Amino acid sequence: MNLTQRRVPQVFELGRSSSIRSFKSIDSSSITHGIHVFQCPDAVGIVAKLSDCIASRGGNILGADVFVPENKNVFYSRSEFIFDPVKWPRLQMDEDFLRISKMFDATRSVVRVPKLDPKFKIAVLASKQEHCLIDLLHSWQDGRLPVDITRVISNHDRFPNTHVVRFLERNSIPYHYLGTSKENNREDEILDLVQNTDFLVLARYMQLLSGKFLQRYRKDIINIHHGLLPSFKGGHPSKQAFDAGVKLIGATSHFVTEELDAGPIIEQMVIIVSALCSHLNSG
C-alpha cells in the first residue's frame, strides 16, 4: 500500500471476529492483549511490516488505526492485537518492534501489554468542577482505567468531609491543594510532586501550564476539553457552539502544547443535540 500517494486521513479497521476465531485452538487463559503505537516519516510498506511482525509471531490484529495527515510527511498508527506470550515472549516483542522502529527511523514506538507491564503512574490536576475527576476516579476504581494514580493536585481547596476527599483517603491517594494566583502559579511545587509520574491528566484544570513547565516536565500531558476541537477552543466552548448554531456537543482528550487547545487529538465523544434533547424530554 503506497500511503505516500494518498494524503487524505486514513483509518483501517481490521475485523475482530476473524482474529478471535483463529485463536480457538489456544487456551483462552493464555491469550494476551497488546498495544503498539507508532510514529515515523511516511513511507511505503509500513503497514505491511507492522502486520507481518505480529503475524510472524503467531499474533493476530484486533484493530488498527492508521493516520497520514494531509501535506505532512508523517505516519501514525495504533495497533491492538492478541498473542500467546509463550510463543512471543515480552522481551522478544520489544526487539521485534525496535527493529521496525530503526528500519523506518521512527520518532515514537511504544509497546504496551497491560497484563504483563507495570501500570503507568499518573497525577491528576483538577480545579473546582469535579465531574471529570470523579469519572476518572470511578473508572480507575472499576478497573477500566489501568493506571496508578499517585496523587491529585488542585488549585481549589476541598473540605475534609467531601465526597472526593473521602474517596481519595479510602484509596490512599494523596490530595494536594496548591492555590494559584497571577503572581504565583505554583508550577515549581507541581513539578516536585509529579517527578515520578509517566504522564499527567488535566481534569478540568482551569489553569494554563507554561511552556517552561512543559519543557521541564518533558513527558505527555493529556487535557480533557469540554468541546469538540479544533473548533471552540478556550473557555465556554458549549456557549460558543450554541451561539454558532452547532447541533453537536461532546468532549475531546488531547495532548497539551504551548498553544491553547491545539495539541494532537487522542479521542473524542460526540452527542447530537436533538437526540439528547429528545432523550431528556422522554425521561
Side-chain angles (χ1 to χ4, degrees):
M1 182 179 298
N2 188 346
L3 296 178
T4 61
Q5 294 180 357
R6 297 187 60 195
R7 285 300 181 177
V8 295
Q10 304 167 61
V11 176
F12 302 95
E13 289 290 346
L14 304 183
R16 292 177 178 271
S17 59
S18 60
S19 300
I20 295 174
R21 279 200 301 269
S22 63
F23 275 77
K24 281 186 176 180
S25 59
I26 300 177
D27 179 7
S28 60
S29 63
S30 68
I31 296 177
T32 304
H33 284 73
I35 301 168
H36 180 240
V37 177
F38 197 64
Q39 176 184 344
C40 68
D42 193 17
V44 177
I46 304 173
V47 173
K49 287 294 184 181
L50 292 172
S51 300
D52 183 65
C53 174
I54 296 171
S56 65
R57 297 294 184 179
N60 217 337
I61 296 175
L62 296 181
D65 295 336
V66 174
F67 179 61
V68 181
E70 188 173 0
N71 299 323
K72 292 184 180 180
N73 184 40
V74 62
F75 170 96
Y76 300 95
S77 74
R78 182 185 186 278
S79 305
E80 181 181 352
F81 56 93
I82 50 178
F83 69 101
D84 184 346
V86 175
K87 294 184 177 180
W88 197 8
R90 185 67 181 84
L91 292 178
Q92 182 64 57
M93 180 182 295
D94 282 338
E95 293 178 7
D96 292 343
F97 282 118
L98 178 60
R99 185 167 56 252
I100 296 178
S101 178
K102 292 179 178 179
M103 183 184 305
F104 291 104
D105 195 23
T107 55
R108 185 182 185 89
S109 180
V110 180
V111 187
R112 289 289 297 171
V113 181
K115 187 176 179 180
L116 303 177
D117 294 349
K119 293 180 180 179
F120 284 126
K121 295 181 179 180
I122 75 167
V124 182
L125 276 66
S127 291
K128 183 176 182 179
Q129 295 185 348
E130 298 180 333
H131 53 286
C132 287
L133 173 61
I134 290 173
D135 185 67
L136 284 172
L137 293 175
H138 286 172
S139 295
W140 169 81
Q141 184 182 49
D142 294 342
R144 292 180 287 117
L145 188 63
V147 297
D148 284 334
I149 301 178
T150 63
R151 62 192 71 250
V152 172
I153 303 169
S154 177
N155 66 331
H156 174 75
D157 198 8
R158 288 174 170 81
F159 295 108
N161 202 34
T162 59
H163 169 70
V164 168
V165 172
R166 291 199 307 269
F167 181 98
L168 296 176
E169 290 176 344
R170 286 197 304 270
N171 291 279
S172 300
I173 300 174
Y175 176 78
H176 305 270
Y177 163 58
L178 298 178
T180 57
S181 65
K182 291 183 178 180
E183 295 75 25
N184 188 359
N185 55 20
R186 313 293 292 272
E187 288 188 349
D188 289 340
E189 295 166 78
I190 295 174
L191 279 169
D192 289 340
L193 292 171
V194 301
Q195 285 303 308
N196 67 332
T197 57
D198 296 298
F199 62 92
L200 305 181
V201 175
L202 309 185
R204 289 304 305 274
Y205 185 62
M206 305 305 289
Q207 299 289 315
L208 294 178
L209 297 175
S210 68
K212 181 180 178 181
F213 181 94
L214 301 181
Q215 293 169 9
R216 292 174 63 188
Y217 183 63
R218 300 181 64 184
K219 301 173 187 176
D220 288 332
I221 303 176
I222 297 173
N223 183 45
I224 303 171
H225 179 74
H226 53 300
L228 294 177
L229 297 175
S231 300
F232 314 120
K233 300 178 181 179
H236 308 293
S238 298
K239 185 179 186 305
Q240 294 180 51
F242 178 82
D243 292 343
V246 172
K247 301 301 186 290
L248 299 173
I249 62 173
T252 304
S253 62
H254 67 96
F255 291 111
V256 174
T257 59
E258 290 192 45
E259 184 179 353
L260 178 64
D261 294 334
I265 292 172
I266 303 168
E267 187 64 87
Q268 291 180 304
M269 181 183 69
V270 179
I271 298 176
I272 300 175
V273 174
S274 58
L276 176 64
C277 292
S278 298
H279 174 72
L280 293 176
N281 291 334
S282 64

